[in-house]
Amino acid sequence: MKTQVVEALKTVILEFQDNPYAFLYEEDIRATLFHEIRKRISDEITVAGTGRPEQQYRLRGVYCEYGKRIDIACLKMDSQIDPKPHKGQDTFIYNIPVEIGIELKYRKIGDKFSIQESIKDYEKLKGMDITNCLAIAFVQNDKELPDFLRSTKMDWLPSIENLDGIFVITKKGIIGGKLST
């Protein structure tokens, strides 16, 4: 699963770096990344239900806006699920453990938020007991990178191989790694 997610990320990053203005909104990046991941991870998991409303559910391995609002979630495909209905319904299918959680931010023309928003996203994912947490910020205009980072120091990276951390994608490259102020 990790390999497929890294491949999908590389595809979207290269597309963004080639033309950051092809993406007008964060939703454009999320949709493109979701599509690329789902192309590579088409597996389904079968989860036993309680008959409220189904006896069995076939769930996909990748979802958008999953659980507590994770932009993109890759489910733990080997999870053992305890089917406990809530208010008489099989709502437990919305809380399958997540293997890879991805939160996205997009600093486009006119936006003023900083890396702190991605830091909060990363901390949110970590607090949800997700195995691999990615907070990725795309910055459309490289000239706004110093303002986006403010006093946060991050290193330029050759790629996004590590599926845990905070990353900033610009036309020029990838920034990530250990945060220091």
Side-chain angles (χ1 to χ4, degrees):
M1 176 181 292
K2 288 181 181 182
T3 302
Q4 293 94 331
V5 172
V6 168
E7 288 171 1
L9 282 165
K10 286 179 179 180
T11 298
V12 174
I13 289 167
L14 287 173
E15 185 176 344
F16 178 82
Q17 289 176 328
D18 181 54
N19 182 9
Y21 299 96
F23 301 91
L24 295 180
Y25 299 99
E26 179 182 309
E27 291 79 9
D28 298 331
I29 296 171
R30 184 179 62 216
T32 304
L33 181 57
F34 173 73
H35 171 75
E36 290 296 330
I37 293 173
R38 216 184 233 180
K39 251 186 1 186
R40 291 165 173 81
I41 303 173
S42 59
D43 303 352
E44 292 183 344
I45 59 174
T46 302
V47 177
T50 65
R52 299 179 188 131
E54 303 289 331
Q55 291 295 331
Q56 192 174 40
Y57 300 92
R58 286 181 30 228
L59 305 177
R60 294 187 174 198
V62 183
Y63 287 96
C64 284
E65 295 298 323
Y66 187 77
K68 296 178 182 174
R69 311 295 290 175
I70 302 169
D71 285 340
I72 299 175
C74 301
L75 304 183
K76 285 187 180 178
M77 303 300 276
D78 58 354
S79 295
Q80 299 299 315
I81 309 304
D82 186 13
K84 291 182 182 174
H86 177 70
K87 296 184 180 181
Q89 300 291 313
D90 287 347
T91 57
F92 59 86
I93 66 171
Y94 299 99
N95 295 306
I96 308 294
V98 175
E99 176 77 21
I100 301 170
I102 303 172
E103 282 292 322
L104 301 171
K105 289 290 182 259
Y106 187 30
R107 175 130 171 202
K108 61 189 182 334
I109 295 172
D111 288 342
K112 297 297 179 198
F113 65 88
S114 73
I115 188 73
Q116 292 305 313
E117 296 302 314
S118 293
I119 293 169
K120 288 178 195 173
D121 281 347
Y122 181 76
E123 290 169 351
K124 175 183 89 171
L125 292 172
K126 280 296 189 191
M128 296 170 73
D129 197 31
I130 295 172
T131 307
N132 297 282
C133 304
L134 281 167
I136 306 171
F138 289 79
V139 177
Q140 193 176 49
N141 182 348
D142 284 345
K143 293 175 186 171
E144 293 183 5
L145 187 60
D147 182 56
F148 179 75
L149 293 175
R150 298 198 178 135
S151 62
T152 304
K153 304 286 187 236
M154 299 178 87
D155 296 324
W156 287 98
L157 301 172
S159 72
I160 195 164
E161 300 288 332
N162 182 5
L163 285 182
D164 194 82
I166 300 167
F167 300 91
V168 180
I169 311 301
T170 72
K171 186 172 180 69
K172 292 180 183 172
I174 302 169
I175 301 170
K178 186 178 178 183
L179 296 174
S180 59
T181 52

